[in-house]
Amino acid sequence: MRVVIIGGGAIGTSVAYHLAERGADVVLIERNAVACAASGKSGGFLALDWCDGTPVEALARRSFTLHAELAEELEGDWSYRRMTTYAGTVGYAAARTSRTARLNWVTSEVAIHSQLGSSGTTAQVHPAAFTSGMMRAAGERGAKLLLSRATGLLYRDGRVTGVCLEDGTLKGDAVVIAMGPWSMLAAGWLPLPPVYGLKGHSLVFETGASLPPEALFLEYAEQAGSMLTPEVFPRADGTTYVCGISSESPVPIDPDQVVPDDGAIDRLKALCARMSPILARSKILASQACYRPVTGDGLPLIGAIPHAQGAYVATGHSVWGILNAPATGEAMAELILDGAARTVDLLPFGPARLAALDPARVAISRRLGG
Ligand SMILES: Cc1cc2nc3c(=O)[nH]c(=O)nc-3n(C[C@H](O)[C@H](O)[C@H](O)COP(=O)(O)OP(=O)(O)OC[C@H]3O[C@@H](n4cnc5c(N)ncnc54)[C@H](O)[C@@H]3O)c2cc1C
């Protein structure tokens, strides 16, 4: 069985890996480069139980376990490690007097008021390396990577039979839409509910090996009145990732055209200098922005697409796309090859739950491209 996957982010490559592991003939189509979008620019933070009590609980728990197994079994070079995770504030005078933990790499402006996770419940990967690692492992199992832009689908008797590319066509028995926020473009090819893109900005610092595996989720009130929620993740490769400024700027059609909003990077740099003397003096390796894919009800879209036999979707993972990539890939492989997912119940994520092509939602999501 040949499965064609469109999109070389964490989701598409994880689906490719699990299908190839099961012996399917897999071709992954990526228009720019593997991990060129959010999957290369996100935090890569993983949590076992932060989705507990929501429909995503089983997916997240299975994925947290799979991340540990994949890093070991594939001898992954994506800097997987366990973290201790804290919550706190930056610059709140009252909070500074009631801190519960003292970290030696932050300024006195940072007050830690609680521990959110331990090395048993929180971890991280380098997301670009993880995504490339999944593609590499898929390739070692026979999957092929095709750099081209998908422009539509081939149909025969109401069944999807392949993908139209900017430079030809590719036949397949099943097609998986895993285009992140650009999955919205596939709503022109299929009865697919809208997917939106929410923008986030981040900096990557060259901090060296000095920072411990401590992740921070902080709150900060900017003088201009905005509330920011910076996240700080020192990584095993000697870099430190910080994100913290979101916006609703429209998603450009070409992922390579995603650039930071005016002023966002300067605001983030100023915040980093207040948070840590090490960040204040470290070289900045990347100043970047990316879009996380979100759906109308905030849950991922994973499953067979109604009224289009042979078509599947896996996107809309919002802030947990790196965490949930392995279990999504595993469940998609089961769904496509066995007819039903066994490891995780995909029912809450089925595309049929959202009103496909609801005019109001489509109008909002047509913001794609401005
Ligand atoms: C600032 C920020 C921080 C984050 N931090 C975390 C975190 O700590 N932990 C976590 O779990 N998640 C995090 N996320 C969320 C996570 O990054 C995303 O959910 C995840 O990367 C989405 O992966 P994806 O594969 O669905 O999409 P993407 O990574 O967007 O990949 C989609 C791919 O499809 C390709 N494509 C698009 N159109 C076409 C086409 N026509 N033809 C061929 N290819 C096409 C694109 O080029 C792209 O490579 C964060 C997100 C942001 C924005």
Side-chain angles (χ1 to χ4, degrees):
M1 181 181 200
R2 171 182 275 179
V3 185
V4 182
I5 299 161
I6 311 176
I11 302 299
T13 58
S14 294
V15 175
Y17 167 75
H18 283 280
L19 282 165
E21 172 78 355
R22 299 256 330 251
D25 172 13
V26 177
V27 182
L28 184 142
I29 301 168
E30 165 54 48
R31 63 170 287 166
N32 292 0
V34 166
C36 67
S39 299
K41 295 171 182 164
S42 85
F45 178 78
L46 315 173
L48 170 71
D49 51 6
W50 290 21
C51 299
D52 280 7
T54 78
V56 187
E57 175 173 338
L59 187 75
R61 283 184 164 265
R62 175 68 186 151
S63 237
F64 189 82
T65 301
L66 278 178
H67 265 291
E69 289 176 9
L70 288 168
E72 197 174 321
E73 281 164 20
L74 301 177
E75 294 174 9
D77 58 355
W78 45 83
S79 302
Y80 174 85
R81 69 171 173 175
R82 300 293 183 131
M83 309 282 282
T84 304
T85 302
Y86 298 99
T89 55
V90 188
Y92 290 25
R96 282 207 294 275
T97 56
S98 62
R99 66 167 60 90
T100 58
R102 185 83 185 97
L103 310 181
N104 64 12
W105 56 280
V106 296
T107 63
S108 58
E109 298 257 12
V110 176
I112 301 300
H113 56 63
S114 59
Q115 186 175 329
L116 298 174
S118 67
S119 60
T121 59
T122 53
Q124 69 177 168
V125 293
H126 190 299
F130 168 73
T131 303
S132 302
M134 283 292 99
M135 191 64 234
R136 194 168 51 247
E140 286 161 6
R141 288 155 180 77
K144 292 173 204 67
L145 171 65
L146 179 62
L147 291 181
S148 183
R149 182 169 58 89
T151 56
L153 297 175
L154 297 170
Y155 280 91
R156 190 167 176 180
D157 301 328
R159 194 190 156 82
V160 173
T161 57
V163 178
C164 302
L165 303 170
E166 58 191 343
D167 45 9
T169 58
L170 182 67
K171 293 221 160 140
D173 304 296
V175 173
V176 180
I177 307 292
M179 294 153 61
W182 295 278
S183 300
M184 182 57 215
L185 298 174
W189 317 336
L190 289 158
L192 199 61
V195 178
Y196 316 98
L198 285 180
K199 193 171 190 177
H201 296 81
S202 55
L203 295 171
V204 181
F205 295 86
E206 187 176 17
T207 42
S210 52
L211 298 192
E214 294 168 340
L216 306 183
F217 286 74
L218 303 172
E219 281 175 22
Y220 173 63
E222 272 188 319
Q223 240 170 14
S226 309
M227 274 303 300
L228 303 183
T229 51
E231 299 174 8
V232 187
F233 306 132
R235 289 175 169 160
D237 68 352
T239 64
T240 295
Y241 175 96
V242 183
C243 64
I245 296 179
S246 305
S247 91
E248 296 191 3
S249 308
V251 183
I253 295 285
D254 182 349
D256 274 356
Q257 301 296 318
V258 175
V259 290
D261 291 354
D262 287 346
I265 293 298
D266 286 340
R267 286 166 64 201
L268 200 49
K269 279 184 194 166
L271 169 56
C272 288
R274 277 191 83 166
M275 292 192 296
S276 165
I278 297 172
L279 296 182
R281 64 171 182 261
S282 292
K283 183 178 164 190
I284 294 175
L285 299 175
S287 306
Q288 58 196 11
C290 63
Y291 288 86
R292 59 188 160 95
V294 292
T295 60
D297 63 2
L299 295 178
L301 269 187
I302 312 172
I305 301 176
H307 315 298
Q309 217 188 336
Y312 299 82
V313 64
T315 188
H317 292 73
S318 190
V319 293
W320 291 118
I322 305 301
L323 167 65
N324 288 324
T328 298
E330 182 183 51
M332 283 296 287
E334 293 165 354
L335 177 64
I336 294 169
L337 300 179
D338 308 332
R342 188 174 31 84
T343 42
V344 172
D345 179 10
L346 292 181
L347 203 62
F349 314 125
R353 76 184 191 276
L354 293 169
L357 304 181
D358 174 286
R361 284 186 175 152
V362 171
I364 295 167
S365 58
R366 291 281 184 227
R367 290 165 63 219
L368 269 167

